[in-house]
Amino acid sequence: MAGTGRRKARSTVAEESVPSDAAAPMAAPMTADRIAESAKGGPGLVVLGPQDLAGGAVIDGDGAAATLPAVSADSAAPVAGLTARVASATFERDGYKHLIKAAEAVYSYPANGTRLSLPAQKMLNFMIHLAGSQNFANKLYRMPKRVVRGNHKGNERIFDALKEIFDSSLVVIGPFRGRRSRAELRILSSYVRPEEEEDSDAADIHFQFTDAFLEIQRSSQLWAKLSGPAMVKVTSTYALKLYEIGMQRYQMDYPSLELDIDTLRKLMNVPEGAYKDFGILRTRTIDRAIAEVNQLAPFRVSMPEDKMKRKGRKIEAVTLEFLAKDEEEAAETYLERERHSAGRRARRIGKVDTVAPADPVEAGLADLGPLPDADDVTALWAAVLHALKGKVPAPLLAELEPDRVEEAPQGGRRLVLMARNAAVADTARMNHWPSLKSALSSLTGGLIEDVAFEVAARKAKVAKAVSPET
């Protein structure tokens, strides 16, 4: 496997790859945004060949390292890596709307040719994010079932997924106690399944990670920032893995990735022995995963034909390119995630199925899903601006900035726009509120039916809210 960022030069495509250490630990706490800024332009993936793994650590199911140097009992506690700091800041700000996952975990793959099911993979991402928010402490974690439950109302699937994670092992390539190592390790050391399972969303699930899994995560310096609302709508294990890799790479200076076919199969969790022919592998897994990711992610992924490496007629390696979408594409992505999932595959393959959206009043707010995050609100506003061209004066629209989507006091949801001053808010409310409201309702299928205007607070003044209903 080879990355196109900063990497060791090799004449052949390597078998494994490892996210490299991006930066030294910082002396003072930082916000997620500042930490992310400091890591921009950092090293990409370092290419490791089989010769690099000689003497590395292979960790057994109990987490015991076979060939690592001994660490004294009085050694200082490990300093949190950037991934743990970003996870903590992100969790405090966004909860589960954005999930932070160490790059080492993103590029891991199941041991012994097995793979986790889609529900188990999604659940594991939520679990890792929760642990990262607490510096990957070695403890029994508690997470509300509503976080991972989705639309499924029973508990059986939740605990089946937990048991699946408990029974599984991962191969992780990355730094371990100062050495780059190949670690084969168990994920969970324990989980709790109550004898009488409650159906209430207020109930919790309890789990604990293994020491080795936590230590690798804790020392990580690179991460992927996943969108919770986008991740839960992915429908295949292949697409989910491709989405995770893309979210780790698409904002890098060199966001492409070269993979030999064997490594590609492992990373995408293709069952061992399945789809041995590359043509079948591509049509059954890769192309379908690319199409789904391009429909839901903030980037576009492609696999250029002219960058495939061949030996005779055999494809030996491919290059995946991850490029950020432009404003219009990002807006369309947001709208797609808000549409009914029943017609999504048809829209993806060009056969449009029209599904009437449920009436928000009849469906109830509980069925509308999570509130959009900041990225989605920005994309929605871009779509509104496009829809309002020629209908609302452009100078007025330029004085409005999207702030958030919130539950409206009268029911339903509304988009809150921040106005430069009170005069702009009053003009928009009195003259253009119906146009804005109509565009929002049309674009979101009735999920967002209103718009409100707020004026940014100055100094000690409290923000002034202006809305047709208030």
Side-chain angles (χ1 to χ4, degrees), residues 46-67:
V46 174
V47 180
L48 293 186
Q51 67 274 19
D52 296 307
L53 301 178
V58 178
I59 301 177
D60 60 28
D62 297 324
T67 58

Side-chain angles (χ1 to χ4, degrees), residues 316-344:
E316 292 195 328
V318 299
T319 296
L320 297 175
E321 296 184 342
F322 304 92
L323 300 177
K325 291 179 177 177
D326 59 28
E327 188 177 82
E328 187 172 341
E329 287 182 308
E332 177 57 32
T333 297
Y334 166 76
L335 298 177
E336 178 57 47
R337 291 206 297 265
E338 292 298 309
R339 295 186 184 114
H340 198 287
S341 61
R344 184 163 294 136

